[in-house]
Amino acid sequence: MVGMVTLAAPAVITALALAGHLTSVTPSGPTAPLEWSSGGPLTVEALPRVVYTAHRGGALEVPENSMSGLVAAYERGTAQVLDVDTRMLSDGTLVAMHDATLDRTTDRKGPVRALTAKEWRDVRLTPRRSLRNAWRPERPPTVAEVLDRFGGRVVLLLELKDRDGLVPLARMLRERGLTRSVLVNSHWPEEARRAHELGLRTQLWRSAAQLRHDEPSEWRSYVDVLDVDYKARDEDLARAVRSGIPHVWAHTVNTAEQRDRVLRLGCDGVITNAPGLLARTPTLVQARARTAGGGW
């Protein structure tokens, strides 16, 4: 578990992002992917036993899906996976954006899909009100920019919001040798199967309502991570954990109590808007060990 973290000033973080000064983490030996030589990128297989994913970069702590926010999450080291939403522009460019429209998070209005890559460069993200004193508006990145900045340095989770984005995303990952370092998340089992057939690492999201009727074991041959709603019933989370799918991560977990419950039920990861908060708050097991004098 990561200890207390000193938060870097946003201006410094932005300068690091623009200059590209990021420390590369380069595992060797059996954790190095086959398509890279020794010292290649981090892979999904190399993740720790319990994984923290920064949802949209950690949307309670940084501007969501922003380059400066992703740099901050990476530099702070409070999450092992960075989550980014992906949408497609009218000319086929993949960009980092959650909503189908620009209205909520930018200075523009209208559908994301209506823009070209050239027009995208004029869009500015507007930080949520609670973050505006510390973060300035900035241009939202393209997916290619995210991959080129972070690919191989940290495991990425890219969520498909537009189903026709799968094939171009797969091509981008293959071209960069990142098929084992990026999880591709979707809401549809058939899309997870397609992603698996394209040689990608797959993640599938299921709501609490869906999990009541799901049989997750049906997906174990092509889903690497099952992304489950933390509000699901205990018995549904337990069934997911027993499914044979290698990893089950709960989403979106923003408090220590929520985290401790899903870990107790067998989940091995959480997807959170507050990775810094959770990283500074010991799990229930750690707290008991500390109280008993067992240290960390």
Side-chain angles (χ1 to χ4, degrees), residues 30-109:
T31 63
L34 297 177
E35 65 265 35
W36 288 65
S37 60
S38 178
L42 289 174
T43 66
V44 173
E45 290 81 2
L47 288 170
R49 186 176 62 84
V50 175
V51 176
Y52 283 55
T53 297
H55 185 234
R56 307 181 200 172
L60 287 176
E61 300 173 346
V62 303
E64 66 177 71
N65 289 315
S66 68
M67 186 61 84
S68 62
L70 291 169
V71 170
Y74 175 82
E75 289 290 329
R76 293 169 183 176
T78 53
Q80 295 79 46
V81 179
L82 301 183
D83 164 67
V84 181
D85 298 293
T86 73
R87 287 199 177 270
M88 184 179 285
L89 302 183
S90 62
D91 59 8
T93 302
L94 292 175
V95 297
M97 179 64 60
H98 177 272
D99 297 359
T101 69
L102 300 162
D103 302 28
R104 181 178 64 88
T105 59
T106 82
D107 62 350
R108 303 296 181 90
K109 303 287 185 182

Side-chain angles (χ1 to χ4, degrees), residues 1-282:
M1 179 62 65
V2 179
M4 182 66 73
V5 178
T6 301
L7 304 185
V12 174
I13 293 166
T14 302
L16 286 169
L18 293 174
H21 294 159
L22 293 176
T23 302
S24 178
V25 181
T26 55
S28 59
T31 63
L34 297 177
E35 65 265 35
W36 288 65
S37 60
S38 178
L42 289 174
T43 66
V44 173
E45 290 81 2
L47 288 170
R49 186 176 62 84
V50 175
V51 176
Y52 283 55
T53 297
H55 185 234
R56 307 181 200 172
L60 287 176
E61 300 173 346
V62 303
E64 66 177 71
N65 289 315
S66 68
M67 186 61 84
S68 62
L70 291 169
V71 170
Y74 175 82
E75 289 290 329
R76 293 169 183 176
T78 53
Q80 295 79 46
V81 179
L82 301 183
D83 164 67
V84 181
D85 298 293
T86 73
R87 287 199 177 270
M88 184 179 285
L89 302 183
S90 62
D91 59 8
T93 302
L94 292 175
V95 297
M97 179 64 60
H98 177 272
D99 297 359
T101 69
L102 300 162
D103 302 28
R104 181 178 64 88
T105 59
T106 82
D107 62 350
R108 303 296 181 90
K109 303 287 185 182
V112 173
R113 192 71 176 233
L115 299 182
T116 64
K118 181 179 179 180
E119 292 168 329
W120 183 254
R121 289 195 290 270
D122 295 326
V123 175
R124 293 293 178 268
L125 291 170
T126 53
R128 57 190 294 169
R129 186 175 302 277
S130 62
L131 299 174
R132 286 179 190 172
N133 289 334
W135 301 85
R136 293 192 295 268
E138 64 183 281
R139 178 177 63 83
T142 64
V143 171
E145 289 170 332
V146 171
L147 291 176
D148 291 342
R149 179 62 53 77
F150 299 103
R153 296 181 173 95
V154 65
V155 172
L156 293 168
L157 166 54
L158 301 183
E159 182 172 341
L160 285 172
K161 293 298 186 181
D162 297 321
R163 298 176 78 163
D164 53 353
L166 176 58
V167 171
L169 179 58
R171 182 169 56 249
M172 294 168 70
L173 297 180
R174 285 196 297 268
E175 289 171 350
R176 290 166 172 79
L178 295 172
T179 58
R180 293 181 60 187
S181 301
V182 176
L183 287 159
V184 177
N185 193 7
S186 73
H187 292 208
W188 313 282
E190 60 271 25
E191 287 302 299
R193 184 189 292 275
R194 284 185 62 211
H196 174 78
E197 291 170 351
L198 289 169
L200 307 180
R201 294 295 185 266
T202 63
Q203 183 158 329
L204 177 64
W205 154 253
R206 304 303 284 173
S207 69
Q210 290 170 324
L211 285 168
R212 284 176 173 264
H213 309 288
D214 284 341
E215 290 297 336
S217 60
E218 297 175 357
W219 309 319
R220 62 188 175 189
S221 64
Y222 57 88
V223 171
D224 296 291
V225 178
L226 187 59
D227 182 357
V228 296
D229 189 342
Y230 82 93
K231 297 187 295 292
R233 301 179 303 178
D234 285 11
E235 56 264 39
D236 297 332
L237 291 179
R239 186 168 66 256
V241 168
R242 296 193 304 267
S243 66
I245 294 174
H247 303 284
V248 179
W249 298 351
H251 181 164
T252 306
V253 172
N254 293 327
T255 71
E257 292 77 16
Q258 294 165 356
R259 177 199 59 192
D260 291 344
R261 170 181 172 259
V262 298
L263 294 182
R264 174 176 54 80
L265 290 169
C267 295
D268 63 342
V270 295
I271 301 171
T272 176
N273 289 319
L277 171 65
L278 293 190
R280 294 191 301 269
T281 309

